[in-house]
Amino acid sequence: MSNKPFITDNFLLETKYAEELYHQYAKDQPIIDYHNHLPPAQIAADTQFDTISQVWLSGDHYKWRAMRTLGIDEHYITGAASDQEKFEAWGKTVPHTLRNPLYHWTHLELKRYFGIDELLNEKNATSIYQEINNQLQQQENSCRGLLHKMNVNT
């Protein structure tokens, strides 16, 4: 297995022209975000999340659908399972989303928000969960902080 990260600065840029257009013209443009999965009340309150499950899984019907398709019990999707158990169930699901945008989105967010280059799976879900939760305790990773990090103009 290669040690080369899956997500790089040229991810999905297949030609030198794509790289030039992105890096010289588009990269630093703000994102005008009329749709994301963070509830407006959490953005307004600048919520400081305790766990990545609260940010990533609590309202993401796309992830829920993938988990249900894999046969994950509803207890680990919208049920009473702990946030860690829900994240671990998502970690089990992610490798099965290969060739689906969920796979790319998951790894883009791990890299860009939290600096994690590992491919999320069942074996490393617990350590990734703990690492992200530690980072979420930093003020710059509050709800608005995460949006600001990605240059989102809401």
Side-chain angles (χ1 to χ4, degrees):
M1 182 173 203
S2 170
N3 288 336
K4 181 181 175 192
F6 176 54
I7 303 297
T8 66
D9 288 341
N10 291 325
F11 181 67
L12 297 178
L13 302 176
E14 297 182 2
T15 68
K16 67 180 182 177
Y17 302 109
E19 290 176 20
E20 179 181 343
L21 285 170
Y22 176 70
H23 291 292
Q24 291 184 19
Y25 300 98
K27 181 179 179 181
D28 296 323
Q29 294 298 311
I31 297 169
I32 309 300
D33 188 14
Y34 296 104
H35 170 82
N36 69 53
H37 290 253
L38 296 171
Q42 289 180 333
I43 296 170
D46 197 19
T47 300
Q48 192 80 38
F49 299 102
D50 294 320
T51 73
I52 186 61
S53 297
Q54 294 170 356
V55 182
W56 251 15
L57 301 174
S58 68
D60 195 329
H61 57 92
Y62 297 112
K63 289 182 178 96
W64 295 349
R65 184 180 316 137
M67 293 167 78
R68 289 177 182 129
T69 299
L70 187 61
I72 301 291
D73 189 282
E74 195 66 28
H75 174 76
Y76 299 100
I77 302 170
T78 60
S82 71
D83 284 354
Q84 182 170 337
E85 291 171 319
K86 289 177 180 181
F87 187 82
E88 289 168 351
W90 175 240
K92 179 179 180 178
T93 305
V94 168
H96 298 278
T97 65
L98 188 62
R99 304 182 98 186
N100 179 301
L102 285 169
Y103 190 83
H104 297 100
W105 293 338
T106 293
H107 295 101
L108 278 166
E109 290 172 351
L110 286 173
K111 172 72 173 183
R112 290 185 175 165
Y113 286 99
F114 304 107
I116 295 173
D117 280 318
E118 293 178 71
L119 297 178
L120 181 60
N121 59 55
E122 187 173 16
K123 292 179 182 176
N124 64 13
T126 301
S127 63
I128 288 175
Y129 177 81
Q130 292 167 347
E131 169 61 27
I132 293 173
N133 291 346
N134 288 336
Q135 290 186 42
L136 285 173
Q137 303 320 301
Q138 300 168 12
Q139 183 56 42
E140 66 265 17
N141 289 323
S142 67
C143 190
R144 280 192 241 151
L146 292 170
L147 293 172
H148 178 73
K149 208 180 254 195
M150 292 299 109
N151 199 20
V152 173
N153 186 349
T154 54

